Amino acid sequence: MGDGSTGRRPTGPSRSRSLRIQEPERRPLLQHRVTFNHELDRELFSCHRNAHSHLPVYTNIHRIRRDIVSVVEDYLSLDQLRDVRINISVVRPLVDKLYEQDDISIVYCLLVNRAQFLNEQSHLKNRQNVNYTRAMLCELVATRILRRFNEDNEGPENLMVLAHILIAGFEPFQNAPEEVRREVESSLSLNKTLPALEVAILTGSRHFLSSTSCQKVVDAIYVGRVIYTPSSYMDLISDHYKQRPISLYEPREAPLLNQYRLVVPRTRNILEIMQFVILLGLYLAFMAERDPTTVSKLEICFVVYALGWVLDQFATILEHGWRVYTQNLWSFLDVTFAIIYWVYLIMRIYGLKTDSVDVGQQALDVLAMGAPVLIPRLAFNLLSDNMLFLSLRSMMKDFALLTALACWCFVGFLLSLLWLGNGEFPAFTISKWMIYIWFGLDGSGIHYSTEFHQILGPALMVTFAFLGNTLFLTVLVSMLSTTFSKIMQDATAEIQFRRAVLTLEGVKGDAIFAYQPPFNLLAIFILIPLKFLVSPRWFHKIHVFWVRFLNLPLLLIIAVAERRVIWPDRSVGSTGFGVNGKKLVKPRAWFWEKWRWSITSHSDLETVFEVPPPDSVLSEIATDDELTRHMIRRQFTRHNTLEGAQPPSADGQGGGNAQPKHKTLNRRDSIAPFPGLRAELHGLLSESDEVSGITSRLEALEESTQRIEAMLTRLADGFMGSELGSTTRDHAHTHAWATSISEEEESVAPDE
């Protein structure tokens, strides 16, 4: 039986068996595993099914859904799910059960169930319902399981285990029954895999993504310590002749000109900023000398480079899909400029073809609308962790929605004024007056309202002024303030979520991302036709040659930086651990770091953890483990020790010979494995004070009844002189039972 169950053991040959309460402190709070049973040296891929294809993903998904549905019946907030009692009775049993399966796809299955619960919740009118709680519970359990994998694996295997869990490719119908696969194979791609990290981003699992274990993998992917080939929805230039398995990167074992380092998220982020700075410089230089009558060399450079930049954004959308792309902080700015650029390019080509200066001027005017988009976009890149920019994306969404609804509603005022004016005032003039009133700029509309109608005209204008300038702006400010406060409540999770999105987008599988704009245009027109003429092996060789040739200076800079600056110590490398798994001495600190610590008295704060303690100290601090272990559980079992004790049976035998009565477990019993905790959980989840009062009165009445029965028993024993021997035997059994209980309490007392 689990924690809190009762067990019986003999106390001696001449003594009756006593009832013993099994202490939860007798076993560790977390059963740590030292090793990871799966083979880490086998090649594991993220873009297709791999060595873990034997895992029952389909079965795990439905098993987890059954368990989550069975334990969650009411709406609970995240803070309530984190409560200590809910944690011990609900969350931890689920974590123990799923973690002991030793299956790295469990985290993926939990996040898939979270996506389904959120989908079911979105179709309901009430936002706070039981499905939302189930989705939060899936995310919470996934976070705890990932943390256990992180704590139970040490050394160089730690990062590899977490990487296998988060970026290994799984598909929902993996190892599903054949009849299920035949039923859905016509509408779905059964071999399409997704990593758990991407599912977490799609479901907005900010708590999961901001956890330490997840951020360890995200940071390793971002800096290029963990390398892999991601799965993509569609490739413009597909080169999968050589797949990169999930592995740790060692710069000194890699080739000097490593073209794969161009798609490392950190490198990609730096390159994208440089590309955008070049685009912005060409845009400003071209708009400074714009001339609709001629096509200058500067305009040709801008058009070609901007076309390559827009192609890079289009390939990014195809790489991970529109939902992941729109999670980026500045994606709406890139899409807006791409639309402006295409409108300008079409109008410009049409104006040159028809030799129309007016159309050419209109094209330049449309391109001038890109300045409010391009210039703020640079600030989004440089200050991506600023809370103002993080909240601006969500606030713009609320602003656009409320503005669209207001414009829709205010069309009625416009039609009423048009009909009252009998065509005397055009719709453009009336709309201008309404906009001025809306923003509080001018009151001309109210001044001319009597010309529409002596009574109805001013009534309409004044009503519109109250609704637009007062009610609308007040509601808008309230909505934006609420959105900003919600984001500020968990700013760290929001920042880590955006960082995970940036990292996932930075890992590219399409070969076109190895070509910098505008060379990606040449790759489209040359490599795509070439793919149908040569074999995959020769296509890969040609692609690698041109990437290294076109990016030769850049690849050399990256190689030198990684070997000399990022990972300068040959012994430590990219993992921080040696071949034997022991942690090695970290690289020497820079002169400034050494000088900063040496002139202060704070250097011992870091040095005390760098020097490993000797065995004598380790043995000394381990002596009080039994006294300080599992303090959380004690507060739930301490007052329940005597609750589980039962008196001797009426047949004269001790409690040890009595067989426990088995009963059918209900749903609440399944989530309360500790003695007495079920009653406490019922009291915690009770929503009515009246029910609690009735329960307490019934308990008091039951205690009074038991005392009356005990008193009547003693009175009856006093008048039964003929049965003195039988009474003596009963008292002996009762005394033996009480003695055993006292001994058990004394054995527990030193531990407490």
Side-chain angles (χ1 to χ4, degrees):
M1 298 181 66
D3 293 347
S5 62
T6 60
R8 294 170 172 83
R9 64 172 187 176
T11 58
S14 61
R15 300 177 57 182
S16 61
R17 297 180 182 269
S18 61
L19 187 67
R20 179 178 175 84
I21 305 299
Q22 182 180 355
E23 281 187 87
E25 286 93 346
R26 294 302 182 186
R27 72 178 182 90
L29 187 63
L30 297 179
Q31 294 182 353
H32 295 283
R33 294 176 304 174
V34 181
T35 60
F36 185 67
N37 294 335
H38 296 284
E39 298 180 5
L40 298 177
D41 55 348
R42 299 179 63 181
E43 290 188 348
L44 179 64
F45 298 91
S46 179
C47 53
H48 56 76
R49 297 179 67 178
N50 46 64
H52 296 305
S53 58
H54 64 280
L55 298 177
V57 176
Y58 180 81
T59 305
N60 286 337
I61 289 176
H62 289 278
R63 180 186 293 114
I64 290 172
R65 177 176 176 84
R66 180 204 61 187
D67 293 342
I68 296 296
V69 170
S70 65
V71 300
V72 178
E73 294 177 330
D74 302 307
Y75 171 77
L76 296 174
S77 63
L78 182 60
D79 293 335
Q80 290 174 323
L81 288 177
R82 290 176 175 177
D83 184 77
V84 178
R85 286 172 286 188
I86 297 294
N87 177 48
I88 292 181
S89 61
V90 179
V91 179
R92 179 169 174 180
L94 282 174
V95 173
D96 291 338
K97 174 184 177 181
L98 298 176
Y99 181 69
E100 289 304 321
Q101 296 183 14
D102 205 13
D103 188 345
I104 68 170
S105 66
I106 288 295
V107 174
Y108 171 83
C109 298
L110 284 165
L111 295 175
V112 170
N113 275 278
R114 170 178 167 81
Q116 177 60 23
F117 286 130
L118 290 177
N119 183 41
E120 295 175 0
Q121 184 264 346
S122 63
H123 293 86
L124 300 177
K125 294 182 179 180
N126 55 328
R127 299 190 61 183
Q128 294 182 347
N129 55 68
V130 65
N131 286 323
Y132 186 70
T133 302
R134 291 166 179 169
M136 288 191 299
L137 181 58
C138 290
E139 181 183 3
L140 187 60
V141 173
T143 306
R144 301 284 177 85
I145 292 178
L146 186 65
R147 185 183 66 184
R148 289 200 183 182
F149 276 110
N150 181 30
E151 294 173 349
D152 292 349
N153 296 274
E154 300 177 353
E157 294 183 355
N158 176 270
L159 189 58
M160 285 297 296
V161 169
L162 298 181
H164 282 200
I165 295 173
L166 291 179
I167 59 180
F170 298 104
E171 53 106 359
F173 290 94
Q174 181 172 317
N175 290 324
E178 289 299 329
E179 58 271 17
V180 176
R181 300 182 70 88
R182 286 194 300 267
E183 183 178 352
V184 300
E185 65 182 358
S186 59
S187 59
L188 297 175
S189 177
L190 298 181
N191 293 324
K192 190 67 176 179
T193 62
L194 279 179
L197 184 62
E198 187 167 346
V199 179
I201 292 176
L202 293 176
T203 56
S205 304
R206 286 167 170 78
H207 176 69
F208 176 81
L209 293 172
S210 61
S211 62
T212 305
S213 305
C214 185
Q215 282 301 312
K216 180 184 294 187
V217 179
V218 171
D219 293 339
I221 297 174
Y222 183 77
V223 301
R225 286 196 177 116
V226 174
I227 57 176
Y228 72 101
T229 300
S231 59
S232 58
Y233 288 97
M234 184 182 300
D235 293 333
L236 293 179
I237 302 178
S238 179
D239 180 21
H240 299 297
Y241 179 74
K242 288 186 178 181
Q243 298 286 346
R244 293 182 301 164
I246 300 175
S247 59
L248 300 179
Y249 177 70
E250 173 55 51
R252 291 163 187 83
E253 297 178 0
L256 183 64
L257 300 178
N258 189 0
Q259 72 277 5
Y260 295 115
R261 304 308 290 175
L262 294 173
V263 292
V264 171
R266 178 172 58 183
T267 306
R268 281 286 306 175
N269 188 28
I270 298 175
L271 292 178
E272 287 179 358
I273 293 178
M274 295 174 59
Q275 294 168 8
F276 182 77
V277 169
I278 295 174
L279 176 66
L280 182 61
L282 290 175
Y283 173 79
L284 296 177
F286 164 61
M287 294 302 294
E289 62 168 19
R290 61 189 183 279
D291 186 2
T293 59
T294 60
V295 179
S296 62
K297 295 181 181 179
L298 195 58
E299 182 177 4
I300 295 176
C301 293
F302 167 74
V303 169
V304 173
Y305 192 87
L307 185 60
W309 186 84
V310 172
L311 177 62
D312 187 85
Q313 299 300 318
F314 178 70
T316 303
I317 296 176
L318 296 180
E319 179 75 16
H320 297 290
W322 176 256
R323 291 184 61 185
V324 176
Y325 177 79
T326 53
Q327 293 293 335
N328 201 343
L329 194 61
W330 50 82
S331 59
F332 69 99
L333 296 176
D334 295 340
V335 173
T336 303
F337 178 76
I339 296 174
I340 292 174
Y341 172 78
W342 278 111
V343 174
Y344 150 77
L345 187 61
I346 294 173
M347 294 181 65
R348 186 61 167 163
I349 294 175
Y350 178 77
L352 293 175
K353 185 177 180 180
T354 59
D355 199 14
S356 175
V357 179
D358 294 336
V359 176
Q361 183 61 45
Q362 292 296 327
L364 294 178
D365 294 340
V366 170
L367 187 61
M369 301 300 296
V373 177
L374 288 180
I375 295 179
R377 204 267 197 188
L378 185 60
F380 275 82
N381 279 107
L382 300 178
L383 301 175
S384 59
D385 292 342
N386 188 279
M387 286 307 303
L388 177 61
F389 291 100
L390 290 175
S391 58
L392 187 61
R393 179 181 179 274
S394 300
M395 290 192 296
M396 285 294 296
K397 181 180 179 181
D398 296 338
F399 175 79
L401 178 61
L402 187 59
T403 303
L405 292 176
C407 293
W408 188 5
C409 297
F410 293 159
V411 169
F413 287 90
L414 177 62
L415 292 177
S416 298
L417 292 173
L418 279 175
W419 292 334
L420 287 177
N422 296 321
E424 183 178 353
F425 298 96
F428 177 78
T429 303
I430 299 175
S431 301
K432 182 178 65 175
W433 290 342
M434 294 176 66
I435 292 175
Y436 287 165
I437 293 175
W438 192 346
F439 291 103
L441 302 176
D442 189 11
S444 300
I446 299 177
H447 177 74
Y448 291 104
S449 62
T450 55
E451 299 184 12
F452 293 93
H453 193 276
Q454 291 293 330
I455 299 176
L456 300 180
L460 280 176
M461 281 295 183
V462 171
T463 303
F464 175 78
F466 272 108
L467 293 178
N469 187 261
T470 305
L471 179 63
F472 171 78
L473 293 181
T474 303
V475 172
L476 180 62
V477 171
S478 301
M479 287 181 60
L480 298 184
S481 301
T482 303
T483 303
F484 184 77
S485 62
K486 288 181 179 179
I487 296 177
M488 285 296 296
Q489 287 178 359
D490 202 356
T492 303
E494 188 69 25
I495 292 175
Q496 300 297 346
F497 175 74
R498 298 301 169 187
R499 182 178 178 85
V501 173
L502 181 63
T503 301
L504 184 65
E505 283 191 349
V507 183
K508 308 296 184 181
D510 196 341
I512 195 174
F513 292 104
Y515 299 91
Q516 309 302 316
F519 297 109
N520 54 357
L521 298 175
L522 296 177
I524 288 290
F525 291 109
I526 295 176
L527 292 181
I528 291 182
L530 186 64
K531 188 175 180 61
F532 299 97
L533 301 177
V534 298
S535 63
R537 179 172 179 269
W538 276 102
F539 179 80
H540 175 74
K541 287 186 175 183
I542 295 172
H543 162 66
V544 171
F545 170 77
W546 281 110
V547 169
R548 292 180 176 180
F549 177 76
L550 295 175
N551 298 280
L552 180 61
L554 186 59
L555 291 176
L556 289 176
I557 293 175
I558 294 175
V560 172
E562 289 180 342
R563 286 164 171 80
R564 299 293 182 181
V565 179
I566 301 177
W567 296 303
D569 193 349
R570 183 180 299 272
S571 61
V572 177
S574 61
T575 62
F577 294 90
V579 180
N580 55 1
K582 295 183 179 180
K583 191 169 183 179
L584 302 177
V585 181
K586 63 180 183 178
R588 292 184 178 181
W590 293 90
F591 172 77
W592 165 248
E593 292 292 331
K594 296 175 62 177
W595 178 79
R596 180 172 63 90
W597 285 105
S598 61
I599 64 174
T600 63
S601 60
H602 303 151
S603 59
D604 293 341
L605 300 179
E606 184 176 343
T607 308
V608 69
F609 295 101
E610 293 180 355
V611 180
D615 296 337
S616 59
V617 177
L618 294 177
S619 60
E620 182 178 355
I621 63 179
T623 55
D624 58 346
D625 285 349
E626 296 296 332
L627 299 178
T628 59
R629 185 178 296 171
H630 319 324
M631 299 298 295
I632 297 178
R633 284 187 171 183
R634 184 174 293 110
Q635 62 177 320
F636 297 102
T637 59
R638 187 173 186 178
H639 64 282
N640 294 320
T641 303
L642 295 177
E643 181 181 335
Q646 300 293 335
S649 58
D651 58 356
Q653 300 295 329
N657 295 332
Q659 298 296 330
K661 295 182 179 180
H662 298 282
K663 67 174 183 177
T664 303
L665 296 179
N666 55 26
R667 184 171 295 179
R668 288 305 179 196
D669 291 330
S670 63
I671 66 173
F674 305 107
L677 187 58
R678 178 179 149 200
E680 294 210 15
L681 183 62
H682 181 271
L684 173 69
L685 301 178
S686 179
E687 299 177 355
S688 175
D689 295 337
E690 183 179 358
V691 174
S692 301
I694 293 175
T695 303
S696 61
R697 288 195 293 271
L698 289 175
E699 291 177 353
L701 180 61
E702 184 178 359
E703 293 178 358
S704 301
T705 304
Q706 291 177 356
R707 288 196 299 269
I708 293 174
E709 291 178 355
M711 182 181 65
L712 292 176
T713 301
R714 289 195 298 269
L715 290 176
D717 291 340
F719 291 102
M720 295 175 63
S722 61
E723 298 180 358
L724 181 60
S726 177
T727 304
T728 304
R729 286 194 301 270
D730 291 339
H731 280 292
H733 288 299
T734 304
H735 178 71
W737 172 76
T739 304
S740 63
I741 293 298
S742 301
E743 291 177 355
E744 293 297 331
E745 292 178 351
E746 291 176 359
S747 64
V748 175
D751 293 337
E752 297 179 349

